[in-house]
């Protein structure tokens, strides 16, 4: 029973494709010596930020990062880089009597 239903669905699909208008049609013309066309290519590059190494220092932490952006925003503070690629990001630690609560 399943085979008959599948066969009829295939026949209906084939018939509808034959009756559908052609999506792309090309035709030649007499006396035409030139042709023009426009092609637009759009490339979307997603932002990348990777932490490669973390080194604790006396003032905070040094993060060796790789990014394809000129600047990033962490915790509401913008960090700018001189170039795209491998950079060092210095983040100072909070004073000892500061409490940070996450998830509020």
């Amino acid at each position: 029973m399943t085979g008959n239903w599948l066969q009829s669905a295939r026949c209906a699909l084939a018939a509808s494709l034959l009756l559908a208008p052609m999506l792309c049609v090309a035709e030649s013309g007499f006396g035409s010596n030139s042709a023009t066309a426009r092609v637009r290519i759009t490339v979307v590059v997603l932002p990348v930020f990777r932490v490669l190494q973390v080194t604790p220092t006396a003032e905070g932490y040094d993060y060796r990062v790789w990014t394809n952006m000129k600047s990033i925003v962490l915790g509401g503070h913008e960090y700018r880089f001189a170039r795209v690629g491998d950079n060092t990001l210095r983040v100072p630690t909070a004073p000892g009597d500061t409490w940070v609560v996450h998830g509020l």
Side-chain angles (χ1 to χ4, degrees):
M1 179 117 185
T2 304
N4 291 338
W5 176 82
L6 187 60
Q7 184 65 25
S8 63
R10 286 182 184 164
C11 290
L13 178 64
S16 65
L17 288 176
L18 290 176
L19 297 175
M22 298 181 76
L23 297 175
C24 181
V25 178
E27 68 181 65
S28 61
F30 294 106
S32 175
N33 292 331
S34 66
T36 59
R38 291 184 182 187
V39 177
R40 182 185 311 200
I41 297 174
T42 303
V43 177
V44 177
V45 177
L46 299 176
V48 176
F49 180 78
R50 290 192 181 132
V51 177
L52 303 175
Q53 181 181 4
V54 179
T55 307
T57 62
E59 297 84 26
Y61 290 96
D62 283 351
Y63 293 92
R64 198 181 74 154
V65 299
W66 190 95
T67 183
N68 62 353
M69 302 173 287
K70 284 279 202 171
S71 68
I72 61 165
V73 177
L74 294 175
H77 186 267
E78 182 179 16
Y79 297 93
R80 294 185 176 265
F81 303 115
R83 66 188 188 295
V84 173
D86 197 3
N87 291 294
T88 301
L89 177 67
R90 290 186 172 89
V91 179
T93 55
D97 57 350
T98 302
W99 292 85
V100 179
V101 179
H102 296 281
L104 295 178

